[in-house]
Amino acid sequence: MLTLVDQLAEWLAPGAPPFAVATVVGASGSVPRPVGTAMAVRADGAVIGSLSGGCVEGAVHAAALDAIAVGECHRESFGWSDDDAFAVGLTCGGSLEVHVQPVRPGDDGDPAAVALARLAAGGGAPAALVRRLDVARPTAVVLGDLSGPGAPEPACGPDNSDRRELSGPGASEPARGPDNSLRGLVDDGALPAVSAQVAAVLRAGGAATVHAAPGVADGACDDGAPEEPVTLLVETRLAPPRFVVVGANDFAGALVRAVHLLGYHVTLVDAREVFAAPRRFPQADEVVVDWPDRYLAGEAAAGRLDSRTAVAVLTHDVKFDVPTLRLALGLPLAYVGAMGSRRSHAQRLQALRDEGVPPDRLARLRSPIGLDLGAVTPEEVAVSVVAELVAVRYGRDAAVPLSRTDGPLHAAPDPTLGTAPSATPSTTPSKERSRWT
C-alpha cells in the first residue's frame, strides 16, 4: 500500500469514490514482485499499480471490487495450476498471498484512509505503514517519520481498530525501539520479539510480514473475537539511496542518466567548476563543485551516507582518485567503483597501499568498474556499471547468464539482513554481499 501513496493523492480526496488496495503479503517460488507490492482498484474500475506483471491482475481486480462492495478485508491466494497453466494463477511457478483492503476516502473512522491521507500529505518523507492483517479486525498503524519521537497513546476507532504513531529507527540506530507503539497490537509476552522484528524491517527498508503470538495486551480494543495468531505487514519508505559520481565528463553524464532511472538520488561532484556545470547534467539531483574527498568526508560526518550508498570515481586523475577512494573504502558503503585501464588500476592499488589502505578494504574496490560487456561508448559503459550495481545489490554472480542458472529469477531482499539470496548458478557464486534495501 505504501508504494502507491504518492499516486493515490487524488483518490483520497473527501467525497472520492471508495477503492481497495491489494497488497502482496506472502510470496514463494518464482514470483515477479516482492512482499509489499500493491495495486489499487477504484469502484469505477480504474487501476493504479500492478502485482504480477499481468498473470493475476484480472482476478485481483475482481477481488478488489468485491471488497469495496462488501466493505471488508479478505485474503486471496494465487499459485501454479497443474491442470491448466492458463487458469488464474502464476504460470511462472510461484505463489502469492494477497491481502485486499477497502478504503473509504475522507472517512475518519477508516484507519486505512486516515493512514494513507497522512502519509500522502507527508510527500516523499521517510515513513512506514504497519498493518495488522486480521480479516475480522483490520488495523492500520502509521509512522510519519522514521526518526521522530514517540507519539501519544493509541486510540480505538469506532470499528475497533487501533491507530497510533510508531516511532522507529530509520536508517540510523534508534534511541529506543517501537515497543510502546506496538503495545496493544500483540500480547505483552510476544512484544520484545515482535518489536525486534519490526525494528529490523525499519532499519533495512522494504517490506516484510511479522508474525506475533496470539492475544492482545490489556487495554487494547477487543471486539470479542477468538484469539488467533497475529500477522503484521510492515512497509517502509526510506529516502532514496544515494549514488555519488566523481568526475564531470561524458561517461559521468551517461552514468547519471542510467542511475537516475533506478531511483537513486544522484550527486555529481568535481573540483573543476568549468566542467561541473549543472546544465551539463540535467538529470543529476545535485551538482557540487568541491574536492571529492572533502565532499565525501563532509557527507559522512553529517550522516548522509549509509550502507545503501554507491560511489563511482570516473576522474582518471590520481590527485582526485586516491584521496577519494581511500576515504570511500573506509566507509560502510554498498558499492565503490573506479574507472580506468588495468594499468591505471594497478597504479591506483599501489598508491592506496602506500597510503596505508589494508587489503580487506582494497578487495572492496570494483575496478576497472562495470561488467565485462565489451562496452566502449559512455552509454555502453553506463549499462555495464548499472548491471554490476544491480548484481551487487542482489548478491548475484553477474558473470553467469540466466540461461545457465537454476533457482528463482527474482531475488527478494531479506529485510532482516538487508541482503537478497542468490540463485544457484552453474559456476561458483559471488562471495561478496552488501547490505541493500
Side-chain angles (χ1 to χ4, degrees):
M1 183 185 287
L2 189 52
T3 59
L4 300 180
V5 167
D6 296 336
Q7 302 174 64
L8 287 174
E10 184 178 334
W11 288 20
L12 289 165
F19 60 92
V21 179
T23 307
V24 176
V25 296
S28 62
S30 181
V31 292
R33 306 298 298 276
V35 169
T37 302
M39 182 176 87
V41 179
R42 202 165 55 187
D44 61 5
V47 176
I48 293 176
S50 172
L51 292 188
S52 67
C55 48
V56 300
E57 257 69 8
V60 172
H61 189 276
L65 292 177
D66 287 344
I68 294 170
V70 177
E72 295 180 356
C73 300
H74 66 279
R75 190 82 59 89
E76 298 281 347
S77 299
F78 302 96
W80 169 258
S81 170
D82 291 321
D83 296 330
D84 183 358
F86 295 99
V88 173
L90 291 167
T91 56
C92 52
S95 62
L96 290 177
E97 289 287 327
V98 179
H99 180 79
V100 186
Q101 180 168 354
V103 179
R104 303 183 298 274
D107 187 340
D108 291 339
D110 184 337
V114 172
L116 286 172
R118 296 183 67 176
L119 288 168
L129 180 66
V130 181
R131 282 186 285 163
R132 182 166 165 171
L133 300 181
D134 305 59
V135 172
R137 193 186 69 170
T139 303
V141 184
V142 64
L143 161 65
D145 183 351
L146 289 173
S147 60
E153 291 299 316
C156 297
D159 60 345
N160 287 329
S161 296
D162 300 328
R163 297 198 303 274
R164 72 198 72 191
E165 297 288 340
L166 174 65
S167 63
S172 59
E173 202 63 29
R176 64 186 182 87
D179 302 56
N180 291 338
S181 299
L182 293 172
R183 199 176 304 279
L185 286 181
V186 297
D187 182 76
D188 277 345
L191 185 61
V194 174
S195 178
Q197 293 181 65
V198 171
V201 180
L202 296 183
R203 278 196 299 271
T209 52
V210 171
H211 302 286
V216 297
D218 294 339
C221 305
D222 187 3
D223 59 3
E227 295 182 352
E228 295 181 356
V230 173
T231 299
L232 303 179
L233 176 64
V234 185
E235 303 173 74
T236 64
R237 179 177 66 191
L238 301 179
R242 296 194 61 186
F243 195 105
V244 180
V245 180
V246 177
N249 52 46
D250 288 345
F251 289 92
L255 185 56
V256 165
R257 294 192 296 271
V259 172
H260 177 79
L261 292 174
L262 296 184
Y264 284 83
H265 178 93
V266 187
T267 300
L268 183 133
V269 57
D270 197 305
R272 304 165 298 176
E273 185 174 4
V274 66
F275 295 109
R279 60 179 175 75
R280 297 186 64 207
F281 306 97
Q283 288 182 298
D285 294 287
E286 55 183 345
V287 177
V288 177
V289 179
D290 199 353
W291 282 79
D293 60 315
R294 183 167 61 190
Y295 172 75
L296 278 183
E299 292 299 286
R304 290 190 286 267
L305 305 179
D306 59 26
S307 59
R308 303 179 300 154
T309 301
V311 173
V313 178
L314 312 181
T315 43
H316 286 219
D317 190 328
V318 65
K319 69 176 177 289
F320 296 127
D321 291 3
V322 173
T324 303
L325 291 172
R326 181 183 61 214
L327 175 63
L329 292 171
L331 297 172
L333 307 181
Y335 178 96
V336 179
M339 177 178 281
S341 66
R342 296 193 186 280
R343 179 180 178 182
S344 297
H345 170 63
Q347 292 173 337
R348 259 196 310 254
L349 285 182
Q350 187 57 54
L352 289 167
R353 291 189 193 99
D354 293 343
E355 293 280 349
V357 179
D360 60 325
R361 292 185 182 179
L362 291 176
R364 296 180 53 228
L365 176 60
R366 294 185 171 266
S367 174
I369 196 170
L371 300 185
D372 183 10
L373 305 181
V376 176
T377 68
E379 289 73 21
E380 291 173 344
V381 171
V383 170
S384 75
V385 174
V386 168
E388 183 177 48
L389 184 67
V390 173
V392 171
R393 179 175 183 172
Y394 293 107
R396 296 290 186 139
D397 184 350
V400 182
L402 283 175
S403 61
R404 297 181 185 175
T405 64
D406 298 317
L409 298 180
H410 309 285
D414 181 347
T416 64
L417 300 176
T419 60
S422 65
T424 305
S426 56
T427 60
T428 304
S430 170
K431 295 180 180 178
E432 179 168 342
R433 299 295 173 89
S434 298
R435 293 192 63 185
W436 286 77
T437 62

